Amino acid sequence: MKADFNNNKIAELRKEQNISQRLLAKAIGTSQANVSRWEQGIIQPSVVECWKIADYFNVSIDLVCGRKEY
């Protein structure tokens, strides 16, 4: 089972709920620059950051990380 980080999922979740990068960053305790880099695929969020993103959007961490097999 392999998880391929899906950087576009963060942007998709944000846009669905009309949340700015800055607002998401503040809510999960990171910088807007990090959110931008995640969405561009330059860097990947840590496991803890993925948990925070999942909690913020009330979705599974698997969805945030792009895990398709369980």
Side-chain angles (χ1 to χ4, degrees):
M1 288 181 268
K2 183 179 178 189
D4 292 318
F5 182 75
N6 183 347
N7 43 2
N8 292 327
K9 184 51 77 176
I10 297 171
E12 184 181 312
L13 289 166
R14 274 193 323 96
K15 290 173 185 174
E16 284 174 0
Q17 296 190 24
N18 199 28
I19 303 295
S20 68
Q21 288 181 344
R22 187 175 309 270
L23 182 61
L24 175 60
K26 184 175 181 179
I28 65 169
T30 193
S31 68
Q32 180 272 327
N34 276 344
V35 175
S36 177
R37 289 182 194 118
W38 298 336
E39 292 181 2
Q40 293 176 57
I42 296 170
I43 61 172
Q44 295 182 359
S46 69
V47 172
V48 172
E49 290 165 331
C50 284
W51 281 331
K52 289 178 179 182
I53 295 165
D55 286 347
Y56 181 80
F57 289 111
N58 197 30
V59 297
S60 73
I61 193 170
D62 289 324
L63 179 74
V64 172
C65 295
R67 184 175 178 186
K68 295 179 180 161
E69 296 177 22
Y70 300 97

